[in-house]
Structures are given as structure tokens and as C-alpha cells.
């Protein structure tokens, strides 16, 4: 429930990775919001109130990793290993139409998101870790 958007990347790759955004105050779809967490995202970890804090907090990272592990284990969501997410990152801000990651009807512009986060995506594929911190 803390996740606002999750985009899986893996086309023509060895495995799938995920770009995750957390619910943020001020995020409307049109605007990305700020660094302050909002709603269910505030329950990720005690004393973590910002996205930048969650990106570094072991409890928050473990909560998201646990959710991914449970989803990967659900045969209805992931019927084969090819559909499982192997690594993830928490992005610095939510997707929005003002930053061109979403269409006016709030659909994800996959190619734009991939291009904007190319360095982070490559870092995930090169890393041995499950959680890979986002490139600034």
C-alpha cells in the first residue's frame, strides 16, 4: 500500500527489475509531489517520513522486498520465473505528467521512464544486491 507506482523492466534482458515510487505528499499524477511520504507510505518504517529517508532505511527497504518476495511466490501473479522481479530501486520522486513520465490520462510512458532512469537500471543489472540505491 505504500507504493504509488511500480514499473517492471526486463524486455530483452536476463531478468526483471522494478522501479518503485512511494506515495508522497502533493503527488497528484499531474505533479510528482515532494520528498515527504504520505498515507500508507508513512507506515513503512518507524521514524521514516521522507522518500530520501526510506531509500536508506533497512526496515523500509525490507518491507518493500518482502512485498516483492510474496508477489513473486504467488503463482497467479508470477506463473513462471521469467515473470519474477529480481531487483528493485526506490526512485527519488513519483511519476507525473508534468515530468513527462505519465500521459494526461495517467498512463505510464515506459520509454520515457526507462530513458530517464537508464543509469539506475544499468546499475541494477550490474549489482549483486537485490536493492540498488537510485542514481541521482
Amino acid at each position: 500500500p505504500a507504493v504509488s507506482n511500480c514499473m517492471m523492466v526486463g524486455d530483452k534482458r536476463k531478468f526483471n527489475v522494478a522501479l518503485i515510487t512511494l506515495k508522497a505528499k502533493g503527488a497528484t499524477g499531474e505533479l510528482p509531489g515532494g520528498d515527504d511520504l504520505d498515507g500508507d507510505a508513512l507506515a513503512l518504517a518507524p521514524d521514516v517520513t521522507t522518500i530520501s529517508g526510506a531509500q536508506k532505511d533497512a526496515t523500509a527497504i525490507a518491507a518493500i522486498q518482502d512485498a516483492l518476495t510474496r508477489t513473486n511466490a504467488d503463482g497467479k501473479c508470477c506463473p513462471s520465473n521469467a515473470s519474477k522481479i529480481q531487483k528493485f530501486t526506490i526512485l527519488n520522486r513519483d511519476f507525473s505528467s508534468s515530468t513527462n513520465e505519465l500521459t494526461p490520462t495517467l498512463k505510464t510512458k515506459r520509454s520515457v521512464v526507462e530513458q530517464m532512469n537508464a543509469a539506475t537500471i544499468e546499475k541494477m543489472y550490474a549489482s549483486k544486491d537485490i536493492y540498488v540505491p537510485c542514481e541521482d
Side-chain angles (χ1 to χ4, degrees), residues 22-130:
L22 300 176
K23 292 181 179 172
K25 286 185 182 172
T28 62
E30 289 182 32
L31 300 172
D35 189 43
D36 292 328
L37 293 175
D38 196 19
D40 292 323
L42 287 166
L44 273 176
D47 302 322
V48 175
T49 59
T50 62
I51 294 170
S52 54
Q55 290 173 313
K56 297 175 184 92
D57 185 82
T59 303
I61 292 164
I64 294 171
Q65 186 172 342
D66 180 58
L68 288 172
T69 300
R70 284 184 281 119
T71 302
N72 283 341
D74 183 344
K76 291 179 183 175
C77 292
C78 297
S80 70
N81 283 338
S83 58
K84 294 180 179 179
I85 294 171
Q86 304 297 321
K87 299 179 183 189
F88 72 99
T89 193
I90 301 169
L91 296 178
N92 298 329
R93 60 175 171 72
D94 200 357
F95 299 157
S96 72
S97 58
S98 68
T99 54
N100 202 34
E101 293 128 331
L102 300 177
T103 68
T105 57
L106 306 182
K107 292 177 181 69
T108 305
K109 294 182 178 179
R110 294 184 56 79
S111 61
V112 172
V113 173
E114 281 188 58
Q115 184 178 17
M116 291 174 78
N117 296 286
T120 299
I121 292 168
E122 292 309 317
K123 186 177 172 186
M124 281 192 284
Y125 280 104
S127 175
K128 294 184 190 290
D129 298 322
I130 294 171

